[in-house]
Amino acid sequence: MPFKQRILFLLLLSLILVPFRDQAPVYSQQRDTSDLGVASTTGVVVSASDLASDVGASILHKGGNAVDAAVATAFALAVTWPSAGNIGGGGFMVVRRPNGEAITIDYRETAPGKATPTMYLNAQGHIERGLTAAGYLAPGVPGTVRGLEMAHKKFGKLPWKDVVLPAVKLAEEGFIVSETMARGLNGQLAGEMGKFPASVAAYGKPGGGKWAAGDKIVLTDLGKTLRAIAVDGPDAFYKGWIADRIAEDMAANGGLISKADLAAYQAKLRTPVKGRYHDYEITAMPPPSSGGVALIEMLNILENFDLKKHDRFAPETLHLMIEAMRRAYLDRARFLGDPDFTDVPIAKLLSKDYAKTLAASINPAKASSSVELGKDIVTIAQVRESDETTHFSVIDKTGMAVTNTYTLEGGYGSRVVVKGAGFLLNNEMGDFNKKPGETNERGDIGTAPNLIAPGKRMLSSMTPAIVTRNGKPVLITGSPGGRTIINTVLCIILNVTEFGMTGRQAVDAARMHHQWLPDSTTIEEGAALEPALLRLKEMGHTIRQQGRQGDGNSIIVDEKTKVAYGVNDKRNGSSKASK
């Protein structure tokens, strides 16, 4: 093209584009929409660890189903993702079979038999917070191994040994340390973990010094423990030599977990909570997870409004989402706990009629007062839950889907490694309400449903969820993040079902969180344009922008082509979708 013609063409193109130059993109918060995810018609695994995702995918290639892959992934994460992957913690799994049958497995930790409602109070009646942050009084009775056993017994296809041994190999032969893992271990060993000799022996760098990306780590004792679980079965953990090591370590260091506690532990099959959002069905965890109930309650509230009238990150949309969050988290504090110990009004909380009354209480132009809404249990703040949890999603070639969230609670849990067994114990006892009857400005909750009792399961925010339409999976999702988990899952589900985003767009899109109290909203940086934030503040909202929220490793299924897209959350550089 001659020079003059090129100049004329460029001038004409610029005139065409001028009207669009100042228009905000529909999803201005997107980080990366260049891909749809890892496409597969034969199955995909998405987790926080590339090595664990590869293990899960290898099980699918060997003829295993989604549950086989999920169990293998979970055990692998116990090796490669020690901040949250575990055999010394607990969690929740949702399984949906190709025929539409769905079940949930509750393998949340329980309070030891010697636990008491006031065990974390000092002589002055104040909470000793350090006792649940780290050390031997912090752990609940671990549930992960029994939970994975239950899933495999009910749905697994391959032999148990075959799905555990890949994790054994990783631990015994070692693997390359990522930058994320090196940074985490170095920080922990220089802090709380460094106080416990068995933890230093397990995770300290041989010869001393700091871990660096590219180093190889071998976890010999953990490999021995996992091999016993693979060969001798889960009873090795709950009734055999591993249980002996746990009980001995507890007794020697002032802990409460006994061999009788371990032998008595049971994972539980529970009926999932279900709800509808327009023409989508949501299947999620029931109590003692608060996630499913709160998620469906929020969706029921939002169904009363025309969210599509405005952009996803318009102030009007964000305002309604915040108000729905505020009301669901208030009900979480009022009602939710272990259903084996407290009467949870699930039918009411999931009711469309109840949601209508909550929706009617929302002023479309003004923020509500959290304190005024919750004056019956008057409180000023809430305890923060750790965000060190991990989530993975799996689907196989038949359409069987698994969504699993499990945790040690805080990063690296109690920081205590069981001597001679090589695995970390949780610090989940901190998720109980620790001072009966007192809900105060320091952030303590004392409502009855979540007080400590022997054998009781502590309340959780974990929200593994499956979204279907016309009887077929559409979205398999979940996230870590403490109390932010439920809202992260809400955001991802709305992005897909209400705003038509692809899986990559839905996971990349920035998130926000409001948990009733403290009465403030956090929004990931880039989630909204400054005018939207200003308008929310004018409406009475307290807004704070922050960095990362959650790690929503998800799978979205194209309803027309039936192709599943594994979408790893790029907020975590170690995550991967594998097929």
Side-chain angles (χ1 to χ4, degrees):
M1 183 183 292
F3 179 78
K4 288 185 178 180
Q5 287 182 319
R6 287 203 303 270
I7 295 296
L8 183 61
F9 173 78
L10 291 172
L11 286 172
L12 181 60
L13 182 61
S14 67
L15 288 172
I16 292 171
L17 293 176
V18 162
F20 301 96
R21 184 178 300 158
D22 296 324
Q23 290 187 14
V26 175
Y27 305 122
S28 57
Q29 81 297 342
Q30 288 178 16
R31 286 179 171 80
D32 179 6
T33 59
S34 60
D35 68 271
L36 297 175
V38 173
S40 178
T41 56
T42 58
V44 63
V45 180
V46 196
S47 83
S49 164
D50 53 352
L51 294 171
S53 294
D54 288 347
V55 163
S58 73
I59 294 297
L60 293 177
H61 285 295
K62 291 177 181 177
N65 62 21
V67 168
D68 292 318
V71 172
T73 302
F75 277 115
L77 283 166
V79 180
T80 65
W81 199 252
S83 67
N86 70 85
I87 57 173
F92 302 102
M93 180 184 289
V94 181
V95 180
R96 186 182 188 275
R97 299 176 67 187
N99 65 5
E101 176 196 1
I103 63 98
T104 66
I105 298 174
D106 167 8
Y107 58 98
R108 183 68 158 158
E109 302 92 329
T110 58
K114 294 181 180 179
T116 68
T118 57
M119 61 185 286
Y120 297 113
L121 302 184
N122 60 23
Q124 291 73 43
H126 302 313
I127 297 172
E128 289 285 349
R129 303 181 193 284
L131 295 179
T132 59
Y136 292 87
L137 270 180
V141 181
T144 294
V145 177
R146 280 291 188 225
L148 299 179
E149 174 193 31
M150 176 175 280
H152 183 263
K153 278 187 173 180
K154 190 164 181 65
F155 297 113
K157 185 177 176 183
L158 298 181
W160 171 258
K161 185 177 179 180
D162 290 359
V163 298
V164 184
L165 281 178
V168 176
K169 183 178 180 180
L170 281 169
E172 291 182 343
E173 297 182 5
F175 58 95
I176 300 303
V177 175
S178 67
E179 182 181 348
T180 300
M181 185 174 179
R183 186 170 58 249
L185 285 176
N186 290 334
Q188 289 295 328
L189 290 165
E192 289 291 334
M193 187 183 284
K195 299 176 182 178
F196 305 107
S199 301
V200 176
Y203 285 102
K205 187 173 182 178
K210 292 185 176 182
W211 290 103
D215 288 343
K216 185 177 183 179
I217 187 170
V218 177
L219 300 168
T220 304
D221 284 348
L222 178 57
K224 180 177 67 173
T225 293
L226 289 170
R227 183 171 289 280
I229 294 169
V231 175
D232 301 326
D235 276 357
F237 187 95
Y238 289 95
K239 298 178 181 180
W241 71 263
I242 304 169
D244 290 335
R245 297 294 87 77
I246 297 171
E248 290 166 3
D249 224 6
M250 287 279 135
N253 293 281
L256 297 185
I257 298 174
S258 68
K259 193 168 181 182
D261 291 326
L262 291 159
Y265 182 85
Q266 294 182 348
K268 295 197 173 187
L269 284 177
R270 296 196 188 272
T271 303
V273 291
K274 293 188 176 184
R276 293 198 70 84
Y277 182 70
H278 299 309
D279 54 350
Y280 294 92
E281 185 176 67
I282 317 299
T283 302
M285 279 303 308
S289 171
S290 62
V293 172
L295 172 67
I296 293 170
E297 183 175 330
M298 288 188 285
L299 290 169
N300 285 345
I301 293 169
L302 292 171
E303 198 175 38
N304 290 277
F305 301 95
D306 182 8
L307 295 186
K308 287 182 180 177
K309 184 178 179 180
H310 301 285
D311 179 70
R312 167 65 177 83
F313 282 82
E316 296 86 354
T317 306
L318 297 177
H319 169 68
L320 292 173
M321 290 176 66
I322 293 168
E323 293 301 318
M325 292 172 181
R326 188 193 311 271
R327 285 155 176 78
Y329 275 76
L330 169 55
D331 280 346
R332 178 188 189 276
R334 277 186 178 132
F335 301 118
L336 294 180
D338 185 340
D340 296 334
F341 285 76
T342 188
D343 185 15
V344 182
I346 293 178
K348 172 188 174 181
L349 297 176
L350 299 183
S351 163
K352 295 284 189 183
D353 289 339
Y354 178 60
K356 286 180 180 178
T357 67
L358 297 178
S361 71
I362 296 174
N363 183 332
K366 184 179 179 182
S368 304
S369 164
S370 288
V371 171
E372 187 63 26
L373 281 177
K375 59 187 178 183
D376 58 318
I377 55 170
V378 143
T379 191
I380 301 174
Q382 286 201 49
V383 176
R384 179 183 178 273
E385 289 178 16
S386 169
D387 59 4
E388 291 292 345
T389 301
T390 193
H391 175 83
F392 60 86
S393 301
V394 185
I395 194 168
D396 66 22
K397 63 184 179 182
T398 71
M400 174 182 274
V402 177
T403 175
N404 186 93
T405 311
Y406 73 156
T407 186
L408 289 167
E409 174 52 14
Y412 300 87
S414 64
R415 281 79 159 189
V416 168
V417 167
V418 177
K419 185 178 180 180
F423 65 92
L424 284 153
L425 289 170
N426 66 85
N427 66 323
E428 286 292 1
M429 292 296 287
D431 267 359
F432 279 117
N433 297 346
K434 294 174 283 295
K435 188 171 183 180
E438 182 174 318
T439 305
N440 59 46
E441 62 185 314
R442 292 188 299 275
D444 306 313
I445 298 296
T447 50
N450 192 40
L451 295 177
I452 301 170
K456 189 175 184 179
R457 297 167 195 242
M458 57 290 291
L459 187 64
S460 170
S461 295
M462 289 184 273
T463 316
I466 297 175
V467 180
T468 58
R469 182 158 66 171
N470 299 322
K472 301 297 181 183
V474 172
L475 175 65
I476 306 158
T477 192
S479 177
R483 289 189 186 170
T484 71
I485 291 174
I486 311 169
N487 288 332
T488 294
V489 175
L490 174 72
C491 289
I492 293 173
I493 289 176
L494 285 176
N495 291 343
V496 172
T497 62
E498 188 71 72
F499 294 97
M501 294 189 192
T502 66
R504 171 53 62 199
Q505 291 170 335
V507 171
D508 284 354
R511 298 154 186 163
M512 71 176 187
H513 173 66
H514 192 292
Q515 61 175 50
W516 173 52
L517 288 171
D519 195 349
S520 64
T521 301
T522 55
I523 298 181
E524 281 187 312
E525 293 174 353
L529 301 174
E530 284 304 315
L533 296 179
L534 179 61
R535 177 61 187 133
L536 286 173
K537 292 174 183 177
E538 290 172 348
M539 297 167 78
H541 294 285
T542 299
I543 303 292
R544 178 171 57 87
Q545 288 194 278
Q546 66 171 20
R548 160 183 166 175
Q549 177 182 315
D551 192 8
N553 296 303
S554 303
I555 297 170
I556 189 167
V557 183
D558 187 296
E559 295 179 77
K560 293 182 179 179
T561 66
K562 311 305 180 187
V563 174
Y565 293 92
V567 185
N568 63 307
D569 196 326
K570 295 182 179 180
R571 291 165 178 80
N572 166 20
S574 298
S575 65
K576 184 181 180 182
S578 299
K579 64 176 181 178

